[in-house]
Amino acid sequence: MIRDSRLSGVLHGLLHMIGAGEPVTSEHLATAMATNPVVVRRVMAGLREQGLVRSEKGHGGGWTLARDPAAITLAEIYRAVGAPTIVAMSHRSENPGCLVEQAVNDALGDTFREVEALFLKRLGAVTLEALAKDFKRRLAKHRQTLKDQIHAAK
Amino acid sequence: MIRDSRLSGVLHGLLHMIGAGEPVTSEHLATAMATNPVVVRRVMAGLREQGLVRSEKGHGGGWTLARDPAAITLAEIYRAVGAPTIVAMSHRSENPGCLVEQAVNDALGDTFREVEALFLKRLGAVTLEALAKDFKRRLAKHRQTLKDQIHAAK
DNA sequence: CATCATGTAACATATGAAGTTACATGATAC
DNA sequence: GTATCATGTAACTTCATATGTTACATGATG
């Protein structure tokens, strides 16, 4: 299973950064990501190492995107977020000599790599910008819906 | 990440059943699977529900394969073992109304299904019998290697 | 130099998987 | 039939890991 709870949280945060024209504090992001500032820093630190975001200290400091959202794909984010290899076989006993595991690996090793490659390829086809646009569209529609409901209630 | 620790343990157990001509006890399997009898029963219960194995009580009781190993694929075993959907997105807040998650789902929903389908397709191409044969080959080779080493040491 | 924000270590909590104990149920042997 | 063996299962106890929290150091800004 893919560790997505993090991924979706991080995406929340990144979309916020796109929206804001200035650095966003960990505290602010913590609200958006439904967690707390220290966790935000921990997770964002991974993205920073991959050159996806920047952080600045002091007054007016916080987190900003380091690159054009159109040039950032979900694949990079997924990796930066600490992608556990999607499929990993049996490290239960850390027994590389186990003949059963060898047989399974021989039969499925390529499959594991293939599946992971497909997944990353698809993630690589979605840019942060595309996601942001889609999100904004949904947001606008959502607001319109709310407005309509208010009108209807009058 | 795929929950494989279980899968590889179960495969150990199933290969044992193929080898033995008689029912194998949970205690015996526990040794092969590096765990304990109760855990074995818990896990095997899932396989039994899928009609892959049978269990019998009393003297001479234990676990046996319910079907021809040539007709059992790793896909079935994987599913029976309690396959968590490979890719599942953000149930962090169980917030189906979240617009970010909606956007992600819209962008990647098909991908998730596609990746999972590929994985299961590949697992479905490997039968338990094929795995058992490969395992036996390795075992024979392994024994030969040990024998050679003993000869060389003389 | 006071304030604000990140960086990070150290610790606390929560969740779920795995292991364990205990006992009930059913099957076989004698 | 009853002693024994094996599964079935509930209840409980670890154990591992992700997450949350506190505390304080470091660096930047006004």
Side-chain angles (χ1 to χ4, degrees):
Chain A
M1 171 148 71
I2 284 169
R3 242 209 323 211
D4 54 314
S5 50
R6 262 199 190 174
L7 182 59
S8 98
V10 163
L11 290 176
H12 271 85
L14 294 177
L15 292 187
H16 263 262
M17 287 181 214
I18 292 182
E22 52 186 11
V24 185
T25 66
S26 299
E27 189 130 8
H28 190 129
L29 288 175
T31 305
M33 295 164 67
T35 179
N36 72 66
V38 178
V39 173
V40 170
R41 288 180 201 126
R42 266 201 304 242
V43 174
M44 286 297 164
L47 301 211
R48 186 184 45 213
E49 277 166 28
Q50 300 302 312
L52 297 180
V53 297
R54 262 193 287 267
S55 63
E56 283 161 309
K57 292 181 175 178
H59 276 275
W63 301 87
T64 46
L65 278 180
R67 285 162 37 198
D68 181 358
I72 298 177
T73 71
L74 297 196
E76 282 178 280
I77 299 170
Y78 177 72
R79 258 191 287 253
V81 128
T85 300
I86 297 182
V87 184
M89 204 66 193
S90 71
H91 290 285
R92 178 185 185 66
S93 54
E94 277 301 343
N95 188 354
C98 173
L99 298 179
V100 172
E101 290 171 16
Q102 279 180 21
V104 172
N105 248 358
D106 199 46
L108 296 178
D110 287 344
T111 290
F112 297 159
R113 283 181 284 277
E114 192 182 357
V115 167
E116 182 156 6
L118 173 63
F119 182 65
L120 287 175
K121 184 181 168 191
R122 291 282 184 272
L123 285 187
V126 182
T127 67
L128 192 55
E129 186 185 38
L131 198 69
K133 275 187 181 162
D134 190 32
F135 169 67
K136 280 176 196 162
R137 224 193 43 226
R138 283 171 199 278
L139 192 60
K141 192 177 177 186
H142 180 65
R143 284 184 177 142
Q144 186 59 48
T145 303
L146 288 182
K147 208 182 280 182
D148 291 350
Q149 286 174 352
I150 292 171
H151 273 274
K154 280 184 184 171
Chain B
M1 172 145 69
I2 285 168
R3 247 214 314 216
D4 54 314
S5 51
R6 263 200 188 173
L7 181 58
S8 99
V10 164
L11 290 176
H12 272 85
L14 294 177
L15 292 186
H16 265 262
M17 287 182 213
I18 291 182
E22 53 186 10
V24 185
T25 67
S26 300
E27 190 130 8
H28 190 128
L29 288 175
T31 305
M33 295 164 66
T35 180
N36 73 67
V38 178
V39 173
V40 169
R41 287 179 200 127
R42 261 195 315 234
V43 174
M44 286 297 165
L47 301 210
R48 185 184 47 214
E49 277 166 29
Q50 299 302 312
L52 298 179
V53 297
R54 263 192 289 265
S55 64
E56 285 162 309
K57 294 181 175 178
H59 276 276
W63 300 87
T64 46
L65 277 180
R67 284 161 38 197
D68 180 357
I72 297 178
T73 70
L74 298 196
E76 282 177 279
I77 298 170
Y78 178 71
R79 256 191 286 254
V81 128
T85 300
I86 297 182
V87 184
M89 204 64 194
S90 71
H91 290 285
R92 177 186 188 66
S93 53
E94 278 300 346
N95 187 353
C98 173
L99 298 178
V100 172
E101 289 172 15
Q102 279 181 20
V104 172
N105 248 357
D106 199 46
L108 296 178
D110 286 344
T111 290
F112 297 160
R113 283 182 283 278
E114 192 182 358
V115 167
E116 183 155 7
L118 174 62
F119 182 65
L120 287 175
K121 183 181 169 192
R122 292 282 183 273
L123 285 186
V126 182
T127 67
L128 191 55
E129 186 186 40
L131 199 68
K133 275 187 181 162
D134 191 34
F135 169 68
K136 280 176 195 162
R137 225 192 43 227
R138 284 171 198 279
L139 192 59
K141 192 177 176 186
H142 180 65
R143 284 182 177 143
Q144 186 58 48
T145 302
L146 288 182
K147 208 182 279 182
D148 291 348
Q149 286 173 354
I150 292 170
H151 273 274
K154 279 184 184 170

